[in-house]
Amino acid sequence: MITFIQTSDVSKYRPLIDRSSLSLKAYCEKFGHAYECFYGIKRGAKPWHASLNRIPILKSYTQAGYDGWVVYVDADAYIADLSFDIGAYLAERSQYALIAAPSGLTPPRWWDINAGVFAINLGHDKARELVDLWFEKFMAPPLDVLSAEAVWGDVIDDQAILHEALNAVDGFEDVLLRDEGVFNWNARFIRQVVRDAAPMWLRIERIEQAVSQSLAAAGIDASGVPQASGGNREEANEEFVEAIYKVMFGRHPDPGGRLSSLAALRSGERTYRDDLNSCMESPEFKDRLPQLLKRILTEEERHALAAALA
């Protein structure tokens, strides 16, 4: 048995899964696989804590005695090729406990995999042991500490604790298959548009277009794929303006500056790069620059920089 699972919060990442899930649902219907999607947060309070949901979901599968394959797919990943037979692929690799793509970091390490898309064989002893250890690490921080997390990964980085669990299971390297040809950013079967690749609104548009193309290529009506609205881009613009003022000036944008920047970004008169350059050239930033450098550079480095600029 093969089950595909996805999860997201109910608001911030919901637009991604509203689009990507259409490719998974169509694929599962075509091949007769199960599909589960959970909206919400099982433990925590912030939107990004929904990425942790996969851990208790997998734990619930092992507790229920499920012994088939689970293919986990992040909200920002979609099926690019609906003709690929994952059932045949996995049947030929039943000796493995986990199949995933390498993270791409160098130097490559056997356990350094991307946790955004993977297939785990819950009929394998090593896979069930891995899930148990991953779950223990997920439950370790007190709930109030996790809920107060200000930045993603400060309390729990789900991929990092997976890597820790992989290293803790004796002999897991022998039952891990790293296959970037099937699950990866440009893989044949499942592709992911990661957060570092683009702002949220552009990721939504890219997934929307890609899902429409994959459905159409399979002869499936793609008219039901949601169309991105200007609201996604406006939200991204607001986040950018708030962030750039905070980083460059150490304050929130004044009402006039906020409205001016948003209007220029909305009309296309200015780009993010234009706004960044404008902030860097402003008298306010130049006055604040020595303070920023003092925080970042050592005294020796500051003297060297001052000499170079003299």
Side-chain angles (χ1 to χ4, degrees):
M1 183 174 181
I2 300 172
T3 300
F4 285 74
I5 61 173
Q6 285 189 295
T7 185
S8 83
D9 69 307
V10 297
S11 55
K12 186 174 179 62
Y13 299 99
R14 179 70 181 262
L16 291 169
I17 211 167
D18 283 345
R19 291 155 175 81
S20 65
S21 65
L22 296 179
S23 64
L24 275 80
K25 292 174 183 176
Y27 182 83
C28 289
E29 182 176 356
K30 177 179 179 179
F31 284 95
H33 303 313
Y35 174 78
E36 177 185 350
C37 184
F38 177 81
Y39 294 104
I41 297 170
K42 287 186 173 289
R43 190 168 191 263
K46 304 298 174 63
W48 59 83
H49 289 151
S51 68
L52 301 169
N53 289 342
R54 77 194 80 176
I55 306 172
I57 290 174
L58 287 173
K59 179 68 172 179
S60 70
Y61 272 65
T62 61
Q63 288 177 326
Y66 179 93
D67 61 359
W69 284 89
V70 168
V71 180
Y72 172 78
V73 182
D74 260 352
D76 59 3
Y78 62 95
I79 293 182
D81 181 359
L82 275 74
S83 69
F84 184 87
D85 188 348
I86 189 66
Y89 172 86
L90 294 176
E92 295 173 354
R93 294 160 178 81
S94 59
Q95 71 271 32
Y96 293 105
L98 182 67
I99 303 174
S103 69
L105 298 179
T106 54
R109 294 160 293 192
W110 72 265
W111 46 263
D112 198 359
I113 61 168
N114 173 29
V117 181
F118 58 82
I120 185 166
N121 180 6
L122 295 183
H124 199 294
D125 291 344
K126 297 289 187 185
R128 293 193 296 272
E129 186 179 352
L130 176 68
V131 170
D132 288 344
L133 285 172
W134 201 9
F135 183 77
E136 287 178 14
K137 294 177 181 298
F138 160 70
M139 293 296 294
L143 180 57
D144 59 338
V145 174
L146 176 61
S147 298
E149 184 179 54
V151 178
W152 178 87
D154 272 2
V155 176
I156 292 183
D157 179 328
D158 51 304
Q159 182 159 288
I161 62 172
L162 173 60
H163 293 169
E164 293 172 5
L166 285 167
N167 279 283
V169 178
D170 185 48
F172 204 96
E173 182 177 4
D174 297 330
V175 294
L176 169 66
L177 175 62
R178 293 153 55 95
D179 188 345
E180 57 187 333
V182 176
F183 310 135
N184 210 338
W185 301 278
N186 294 304
R188 175 188 173 187
F189 182 43
I190 298 179
R191 297 178 184 171
Q192 189 172 15
V193 183
V194 294
R195 62 181 176 274
D196 292 339
M200 178 66 82
W201 65 265
L202 184 53
R203 291 166 70 200
I204 292 170
E205 288 187 359
R206 286 180 178 174
I207 290 175
E208 176 185 307
Q209 293 168 3
V211 169
S212 295
Q213 291 170 1
S214 65
L215 293 177
I220 299 172
D221 181 13
S223 61
V225 179
Q227 300 299 303
S229 67
N232 297 322
R233 185 170 301 191
E234 187 69 16
E235 179 183 349
N237 289 344
E238 290 180 2
E239 290 177 354
F240 172 79
V241 171
E242 181 72 27
I244 199 171
Y245 269 76
K246 187 69 174 176
V247 172
M248 305 294 281
F249 304 137
R251 63 177 176 85
H252 294 292
D254 57 277
R258 179 193 296 272
L259 291 175
S260 175
S261 292
L262 289 176
L265 291 170
R266 187 184 305 115
S267 67
E269 177 185 344
R270 295 169 67 87
T271 65
Y272 288 173
R273 185 182 296 275
D274 292 334
D275 254 16
L276 178 60
N277 289 338
S278 178
C279 288
M280 292 180 69
E281 294 169 359
S282 68
E284 182 178 358
F285 178 71
K286 291 178 180 178
D287 288 342
R288 190 167 184 257
L289 185 56
Q291 178 186 353
L292 292 174
L293 292 176
K294 188 174 182 179
R295 293 180 185 174
I296 299 170
L297 303 177
T298 65
E299 183 176 359
E300 182 179 349
E301 289 170 333
R302 290 199 301 273
H303 287 316
L305 179 61
L309 294 176

